[in-house]
Amino acid sequence: SYKKLENEKLIKIFKNLIIEYPERLNEIELRYLSQLASRAEKFYSLGVEKEDYEKIKNLTIKDLVVLIDTNILYSILNLHKHPEKNAITEIIRIATEKQIDLRIVYLPRTYNELLKAKNYLEKLIPKENFKISQIKALLNSDKLDAFAREYYENKLKNSEFPHPSERITYGTDYLKQNNIIIYNKRFPHLEENEKYVNEKVAEYLDFQRYYNNLCQEKGYEFYLNKDDKKIEHDVLLRESIKELKSKYSDENELRFICITLDRSLVHFDNYTLRNENQFKSKVINPNFISPSVFLKKIRPFIPISTNNYRKAFIS
């Protein structure tokens, strides 16, 4: 890239910015740049000139079905702590206020996965009526994760504070209140074709080996090691979305997408799409996307019209 600049001064500046500067960044500088990037993103959506707004106002997203993964349900029901929580809340608000024609749904298979979390939550946080002194002792220990700590802090303030597993029991009612409903669609092709599903599971295992080898080469400590049931769920979810999409011939038409907090699932989807489209030049719509990235993608479709863009930006 820098050879294209053909100017020693520019090359030096480029190398400093791209190679040396990131290595010297401290936490304060990184936080500043993150805030700057966030403001730039807002400026992009807020600062559309009226002439441009007139040109693009007819570009709309119509009847977009946003499926949600099990981990998104966890977040909506406050069953874990995650940095993407605010992005998920914002997407629900946009859907509720109909700023964009989209609806949020989940598949029966995804809800069944959520129900299995009840046992996990009861192991993580025992359903025992601890005394105040016992709760304080737990909070003073280093044995609690952030989610369990938050629960016991609330329990200390209010002895009637419900156990997290109860949120799953009444989960469907809470989801309905937020206009998030079950998408009752059957996929007989997947339910009755065990051989096909096994082939797709084998594809995921190939990806997992590829991903772990890549992490090892780069010196990362994170490795994928999903159990068979989790892999099967991820594969079936992806194949279900592909089947829903298949009724539209135009690949540029965005009608179905799934938001997830599982970055490895996003990577698997991208990896598989690259392999499937190796010799094609078509535009590819991903099947999975993280909430924050999805939010950035739809921001240009909800510009705020105002007579004072500078004031809107500062706000």
Side-chain angles (χ1 to χ4, degrees):
S1 295
Y2 71 76
K3 285 178 181 177
K4 294 177 184 177
L5 295 171
E6 297 178 351
N7 180 300
E8 287 302 321
K9 186 178 179 182
L10 290 178
I11 288 171
K12 186 178 179 181
I13 293 169
F14 181 85
K15 282 185 174 180
N16 284 339
L17 284 172
I18 303 300
I19 300 168
E20 296 174 21
Y21 182 59
E23 297 297 325
R24 300 201 308 266
L25 275 178
N26 59 41
E27 285 187 18
I28 295 171
E29 289 171 320
L30 189 59
R31 197 180 311 125
Y32 166 75
L33 289 174
S34 296
Q35 289 171 349
L36 192 65
S38 177
R39 285 204 295 272
E41 186 71 38
K42 289 172 183 173
F43 183 82
Y44 176 62
S45 60
L46 286 168
V48 179
E49 296 295 338
K50 286 184 179 178
E51 295 80 8
D52 294 329
Y53 178 69
E54 291 300 319
K55 292 176 186 175
I56 67 167
K57 70 178 181 181
N58 294 324
L59 293 173
T60 57
I61 295 174
K62 294 184 69 176
D63 194 25
L64 172 60
V65 179
V66 179
L67 294 103
I68 52 179
D69 197 0
T70 315
N71 43 53
I72 301 290
L73 289 176
Y74 291 162
S75 194
I76 294 170
L77 296 174
N78 292 315
L79 296 174
H80 68 184
K81 293 180 76 68
H82 198 280
E84 292 265 358
K85 170 71 175 176
N86 288 341
I88 296 166
T89 304
E90 180 68 359
I91 291 167
I92 294 171
R93 185 190 67 78
I94 289 167
T96 303
E97 294 179 5
K98 292 296 178 185
Q99 292 188 346
I100 290 180
D101 185 12
L102 64 84
R103 49 199 168 114
I104 304 173
V105 302
Y106 55 95
L107 295 175
R109 186 180 291 115
T110 302
Y111 189 69
N112 290 337
E113 281 291 305
L114 176 70
L115 293 177
K116 294 175 186 176
K118 285 185 77 172
N119 292 334
Y120 165 75
L121 288 168
E122 287 170 5
K123 287 179 183 177
L124 179 70
I125 303 173
K127 293 181 79 172
E128 294 181 37
N129 290 320
F130 289 126
K131 296 177 182 177
I132 291 175
S133 58
Q134 291 174 308
I135 295 174
K136 286 181 176 178
L138 280 169
L139 290 170
N140 288 329
S141 73
D142 58 355
K143 296 179 181 180
L144 299 176
D145 64 11
F147 178 68
R149 181 169 294 278
E150 185 179 59
Y151 166 74
Y152 284 116
E153 285 172 349
N154 286 317
K155 194 74 174 172
L156 199 59
K157 295 173 188 172
N158 176 12
S159 60
E160 300 300 317
F161 191 78
H163 190 272
S165 62
E166 292 182 33
R167 296 179 204 161
I168 295 177
T169 305
Y170 305 105
T172 50
D173 293 333
Y174 181 79
L175 293 168
K176 277 181 186 176
Q177 289 171 16
N178 286 278
N179 298 312
I180 301 167
I181 57 173
I182 199 159
Y183 195 76
N184 277 316
K185 164 78 176 173
R186 292 197 65 230
F187 301 92
H189 171 64
L190 300 174
E191 293 162 7
E192 299 165 9
N193 194 337
E194 189 177 343
K195 182 183 176 185
Y196 179 79
V197 173
N198 288 339
E199 286 173 1
K200 295 301 172 184
V201 168
E203 279 183 23
Y204 191 97
L205 291 170
D206 287 341
F207 159 75
Q208 188 165 265
R209 281 189 289 272
Y210 161 81
Y211 186 87
N212 289 340
N213 289 337
L214 202 62
C215 287
Q216 190 172 10
E217 285 174 20
K218 292 183 177 290
Y220 300 152
E221 294 183 0
F222 178 79
Y223 292 96
L224 281 178
N225 188 27
K226 290 185 179 180
D227 62 47
D228 293 344
K229 287 291 182 186
K230 176 59 179 164
I231 291 174
E232 186 177 319
H233 170 266
D234 289 354
V235 163
L236 288 171
L237 182 58
R238 182 174 186 270
E239 292 302 311
S240 300
I241 296 163
K242 282 172 62 180
E243 193 168 316
L244 289 169
K245 279 184 173 183
S246 64
K247 65 173 71 174
Y248 298 99
S249 58
D250 185 359
E251 285 202 26
N252 294 313
E253 236 181 324
L254 182 62
R255 290 297 177 91
F256 294 93
I257 197 161
C258 182
I259 56 174
T260 181
L261 299 176
D262 186 348
R263 290 170 61 189
S264 63
L265 188 50
V266 175
H267 290 320
F268 169 63
D269 184 46
N270 291 335
Y271 170 83
T272 308
L273 283 171
R274 282 199 305 271
N275 290 342
E276 289 172 355
N277 292 273
Q278 195 170 4
F279 303 106
K280 299 176 185 176
S281 58
K282 293 180 180 178
V283 175
I284 302 166
N285 283 327
N287 297 301
F288 295 96
I289 195 168
S290 70
S292 56
V293 174
F294 176 71
L295 200 55
K296 287 181 179 180
K297 296 289 185 188
I298 63 174
R299 274 296 181 201
F301 291 91
I302 46 174
I304 297 171
S305 185
T306 174
N307 291 321
N308 190 332
Y309 286 102
R310 182 173 293 179
K311 185 177 179 181
F313 171 61
I314 293 168
S315 297

